[in-house]
Amino acid sequence: MDHLVLETTLPCIPRGGGSGKCFRAFCCKGPPSPRTEYDVVCVGLTGSGKSSLLTQLCSENTDSIIPTTGFSIKAVPFQNAILNVKELGGADNIRKYWSRYYQGSQGVVFVLDSASSEDDLETARNELHSALQHPQLCILPFLILANHQDKPAARSLQEIKKYFELEPLARGQRWILQPCSVENMDAVREGFNQFISLLEEIDQEHIPGRI
């Protein structure tokens, strides 16, 4: 089975809930996948397009997508790895719980709506800054997806980089800023493949005896 989905509301899971690997081990039958698996948390405001992008990556039907009200887990397959993506809902009353679900993450995907209103863009910037500086996330690689690039109001990559103050704020951290849209999934996959390369680099650095 290439991908699995679990969705529930945030209050149902204890603080620091189990990893995607544990979820797959509990729910999946058959031999383990030969591909390396990484546990990743995916955050972003409601309407940024998190669910749509992940659903497209899993080649699932996008007709019945609704905003995530708690969190969902998808095992997203790529050629060299499987990302166990824990997507957290982005509504105002859910974002305050995000940090409870960071434990065990090996990387972070942050999705932003590059065509959003100024108010929403400011909120997204504050949430990204909070994530980049969180003790459990600050040493992890970040994939920042500037979504909805197909919309006329979309900000350019340079505008986003400047507005979000990525270079001064994330100096010394490993991050990728990737423009994308559901109309250009090749760009989404390119961003994820670069992200997987960062995860693999960190794996290599932690091999015992490696200089």
Side-chain angles (χ1 to χ4, degrees), residues 3-172:
H3 54 267
L4 295 167
V5 183
L6 168 70
E7 183 162 347
T8 185
T9 55
L10 283 168
C12 295
I13 300 298
R15 191 178 185 91
S19 70
K21 291 181 183 177
C22 293
F23 170 78
R24 286 174 60 81
F26 180 76
C27 295
C28 301
K29 295 181 179 179
S33 169
R35 289 173 284 186
T36 304
E37 297 190 29
Y38 297 101
D39 294 332
V40 174
V41 64
C42 177
V43 293
L45 304 189
T46 295
S48 60
K50 303 184 299 298
S51 298
S52 296
L53 294 178
L54 293 174
T55 299
Q56 289 269 45
L57 285 172
C58 289
S59 301
E60 296 173 347
N61 189 342
T62 60
D63 293 340
S64 58
I65 292 177
I66 59 174
T68 302
T69 55
F71 79 85
S72 68
I73 296 176
K74 288 181 183 287
V76 186
F78 293 90
Q79 184 174 358
N80 299 321
I82 292 176
L83 298 185
N84 297 310
V85 182
K86 184 190 299 179
E87 177 200 347
L88 306 183
D92 292 348
N93 63 333
I94 294 176
R95 293 198 301 271
K96 60 185 178 182
Y97 295 110
W98 279 1
S99 61
R100 297 187 180 188
Y101 298 85
Y102 291 163
Q103 184 176 345
S105 300
Q106 296 168 276
V108 183
V109 178
F110 190 98
V111 184
L112 62 93
D113 179 2
S114 57
S116 67
S117 67
E118 291 295 333
D119 286 346
D120 283 348
L121 203 66
E122 174 70 17
T123 301
R125 181 173 70 170
N126 292 338
E127 294 293 354
L128 178 57
H129 285 196
S130 178
L132 282 165
Q133 297 175 81
H134 192 278
Q136 289 179 299
L137 304 183
C138 64
I139 61 172
L140 302 182
F142 272 70
L143 171 59
I144 304 164
L145 295 174
N147 196 19
H148 298 154
Q149 284 290 308
D150 55 323
K151 295 184 177 181
R155 282 81 168 176
S156 70
L157 216 58
Q158 286 303 317
E159 288 175 315
I160 291 171
K161 187 183 294 185
K162 181 178 180 181
Y163 182 79
F164 280 77
E165 302 174 306
L166 288 174
E167 291 182 338
L169 182 69
R171 184 176 290 115

Side-chain angles (χ1 to χ4, degrees), residues 187-203:
V188 179
R189 292 185 182 91
E190 179 184 345
F192 271 96
N193 285 328
Q194 293 181 56
F195 183 55
I196 289 169
S197 294
L198 291 183
L199 293 168
E200 290 172 340
E201 285 177 14
I202 293 174
D203 260 0

